[in-house]
Amino acid sequence: MGELLTEFPATVVLDRYDEIREALFNPNLSRTFDSRSYAEGNIRDGVVSISHGPVHRARRRIENTQFRPDVLRLYERDLFPTVLDGLLDVLIDAPTVDIFPVAELLSVVLAARRAGIDVDDSDLDQLRELVHYVDVFSQGSAILDAKDPEAVRQMVYEGYDAFERDWVRPSWDRRADLIERHRRGKIGDEDLPHDILAVLLVHRDDPKLELDDTGRVVREVATYLQGGTHTSAQTLVNALDLIFDQPAAGELVQRCAGDLLFSQRVIHETLRLRPTTPRIRRRAEADTVVAGRAVPRNGLVILDAIAGNRDAGLFGPNPESFDPERSVDPSVARWGLSFGAGAHQCPGRSVGGGFPIPADGHADEEHIYGLVALELRAVCARGVQPDPAGQPERDTRTERFTRWAHYPVRFERWHDPA
Ligand code: HEM
């Protein structure tokens, strides 16, 4: 029988950028705090985020294939711009709108495609239902920070059952059929979908993946759906929050509307200042040494990404300030540690944040800007501004201060359905 570790023989907190990176590359540190089975109460049993060692490597090897530059370009250039404009025309239907649910609906479209959940992009009811699951699974993935973990656990169990029945099963059956026809030579490679569920099904017999349990496939797909939605939506809202706080907010909005590379700079600066995982946690699988400090087996290591991302030696003399054009050495990511590093580094970093800004400041046609920059440009082009009558509300269900629940904004240009 496994156990949920809640007490630790030692706790080490690291807040320097280089020390945090060293910890993230340490093979003795894992994300596994709960070794119980799903039935015993571990709602994240077997998912890539909490796997460690050979299983984790095997999963990432096949899942990373869905984030290759050619697949990224297909999504960013062909699929997303049309979906983005179509959805914004429908969702920005009044001068005042809560931008947080809009951001979630925009992001869930791409995340569902990538995860392998078949959804009708133009059906808002379907998209809202998926966003509901994202919210449930996000609370599950932040369970270590939850104020009422037992309530979260119960909600997530029920969420997985319904998600499997209503969403994964139909998408699974379609893919299983295509994979079978492909094996019999009836269809070619180009007819197989490019998504996580499809690659998991193609490789499911590989024992290294430990995917024989159906529930694990469902939870892995849910992890990608959730990982790709909530983070991107929060980042868009945080970008607007930071822009609105600047004395020249109106000019910044105009620049973002007209210059996609500048929008991307804003997103990178937002990620640096507002990491969606402000405190990254690791557990020592064995006695180890991190940044010169001894950590015993089962010791807890807390990595303070907020502090690490404000290292003046790397990000300049005013690291607390919002400066999308700050000068940063090309060897350092402008988003700091906000996509993690090492074995668990975010596989969706280029989907959300795009490629690094080129050192000479010019993007060629191969460049990927990331979906959040595209979203920012699109809302700025509609003349977004703070809503003087509205009050943004933070999501206080976890200790993560970078999460919003509601963020009312006004638009100069909106689409009147009448
Ligand atoms: C702005 C957007 C995003 C942010 C800020 C973000 C942030 C992160 C961070 C910090 C981690 C590592 C956590 C740790 O090491 O403890 C992570 C992992 C992960 N992210 Fe993202 N992410 C974003 C977008 C995405 C997208 C678009 C996807 C999928 C399409 C995705 C899927 C995942 C998955 C599956 C993991 C777990 C990887 C592993 O444990 O090996 N993320 N993300």
Side-chain angles (χ1 to χ4, degrees):
M1 178 145 167
E3 61 167 336
L4 168 64
L5 209 65
T6 49
E7 287 177 12
F8 306 94
T11 300
V12 170
V13 181
L14 301 176
D15 58 9
R16 289 186 40 165
Y17 181 92
D18 51 345
E19 293 181 346
I20 296 175
R21 269 183 72 84
E22 185 187 323
L24 290 170
F25 281 94
N26 183 323
N28 288 315
L29 297 184
S30 82
R31 294 181 75 184
T32 318
F33 289 86
D34 193 347
S35 57
R36 296 173 303 169
S37 67
Y38 186 67
E40 286 166 347
N42 179 7
I43 49 170
R44 310 186 74 208
D45 168 54
V47 302
V48 62
S49 331
I50 62 154
S51 307
H52 185 64
V55 183
H56 179 256
R57 276 196 296 281
R59 292 269 183 92
R60 284 294 297 258
R61 199 162 39 242
I62 64 148
E63 291 165 358
N64 283 349
T65 58
Q66 298 313 302
F67 298 92
R68 285 185 189 141
D70 52 330
V71 185
L72 293 175
R73 281 190 200 100
L74 183 76
Y75 278 73
E76 179 165 309
R77 306 228 171 119
D78 298 349
L79 170 74
F80 197 52
T82 327
V83 172
L84 178 63
D85 276 331
L87 276 177
L88 283 180
D89 280 348
V90 178
L91 294 170
I92 302 180
D93 58 352
T96 305
V97 172
D98 180 358
I99 197 71
F100 179 63
V102 170
E104 285 200 302
L105 287 167
L106 298 178
S107 302
V108 85
V109 175
L110 270 200
R113 290 273 179 119
R114 182 92 45 183
I117 295 297
D118 297 327
V119 61
D120 176 349
D121 300 340
S122 60
D123 184 332
L124 283 182
D125 289 339
Q126 286 194 19
L127 296 180
R128 288 201 172 100
E129 196 181 320
L130 285 182
V131 167
H132 158 74
Y133 287 114
V134 165
D135 187 57
V136 170
F137 302 142
S138 293
Q139 289 188 63
S141 77
I143 194 161
L144 295 177
D145 289 333
K147 292 181 180 161
D148 185 352
E150 209 30 65
V152 168
R153 191 165 285 119
Q154 205 44 48
M155 179 180 66
V156 173
Y157 270 138
E158 287 164 18
Y160 276 130
D161 286 347
F163 181 62
E164 175 174 354
R165 182 190 63 226
D166 298 341
W167 289 96
V168 181
R169 186 45 57 193
S171 303
W172 181 315
D173 290 345
R174 267 177 233 119
R175 280 158 186 72
D177 181 48
L178 289 169
I179 292 166
E180 187 49 35
R181 285 164 59 196
H182 181 259
R183 276 190 185 132
R184 286 202 248 110
K186 302 244 190 274
I187 59 171
D189 291 347
E190 67 286 357
D191 297 314
L192 283 181
H194 291 291
D195 56 54
I196 296 294
L197 177 57
V199 285
L200 294 181
L201 295 180
V202 167
H203 295 277
R204 201 172 161 213
D205 296 341
D206 180 348
K208 290 201 284 299
L209 294 173
E210 295 189 357
L211 282 176
D212 36 338
D213 173 355
T214 304
R216 285 196 166 181
V217 178
V218 174
R219 292 194 289 280
E220 193 80 337
V221 169
T223 299
Y224 275 87
L225 178 74
Q226 176 257 315
T229 306
H230 207 71
T231 46
S232 302
Q234 293 291 356
T235 303
L236 177 64
V237 177
N238 274 311
L240 294 174
D241 186 58
L242 286 164
I243 289 175
F244 294 161
D245 203 32
Q246 307 307 308
E251 280 165 38
L252 285 171
V253 167
Q254 276 184 19
R255 260 193 94 181
C256 288
D259 180 348
L260 186 53
L261 196 61
F262 183 72
S263 283
Q264 194 189 6
R265 285 181 183 277
V266 168
I267 295 307
H268 289 177
E269 184 70 343
T270 301
L271 285 163
R272 185 181 71 79
L273 290 170
R274 306 267 175 94
T276 57
T277 312
R279 280 149 61 91
I280 301 174
R281 287 183 175 77
R282 292 292 187 265
R283 178 181 73 86
E285 294 280 332
D287 291 352
T288 187
V289 175
V290 188
R293 295 168 68 177
V295 186
R297 181 172 176 273
N298 282 338
L300 171 67
V301 179
I302 297 177
L303 309 171
D304 182 343
I306 304 259
N309 284 356
R310 293 172 188 214
D311 182 324
L314 299 174
F315 299 104
N318 296 309
E320 314 277 326
S321 69
F322 174 76
D323 175 8
E325 291 180 295
R326 67 176 56 250
S327 154
V328 180
D329 189 276
S331 65
V332 177
R334 303 184 75 87
W335 53 81
L337 299 155
S338 295
F339 287 120
H344 290 274
Q345 187 183 34
C346 178
R349 61 195 178 280
S350 302
V351 179
F355 290 166
I357 306 278
D360 64 2
H362 294 286
D364 62 18
E365 66 274 12
E366 302 287 293
H367 188 70
I368 292 287
Y369 296 87
L371 87 107
V372 193
L374 265 72
E375 293 171 356
L376 180 64
R377 178 180 65 173
V379 293
C380 287
R382 283 163 167 82
V384 70
Q385 43 186 263
D387 173 13
Q391 193 55 48
E393 274 172 48
R394 290 186 194 278
D395 179 348
T396 52
R397 289 172 300 181
T398 75
E399 308 292 343
R400 299 185 186 183
F401 80 99
T402 51
R403 293 189 172 193
W404 297 95
H406 298 287
Y407 204 101
V409 294
R410 282 187 74 78
F411 283 96
E412 276 169 33
R413 288 173 286 287
W414 52 281
H415 187 85
D416 186 349

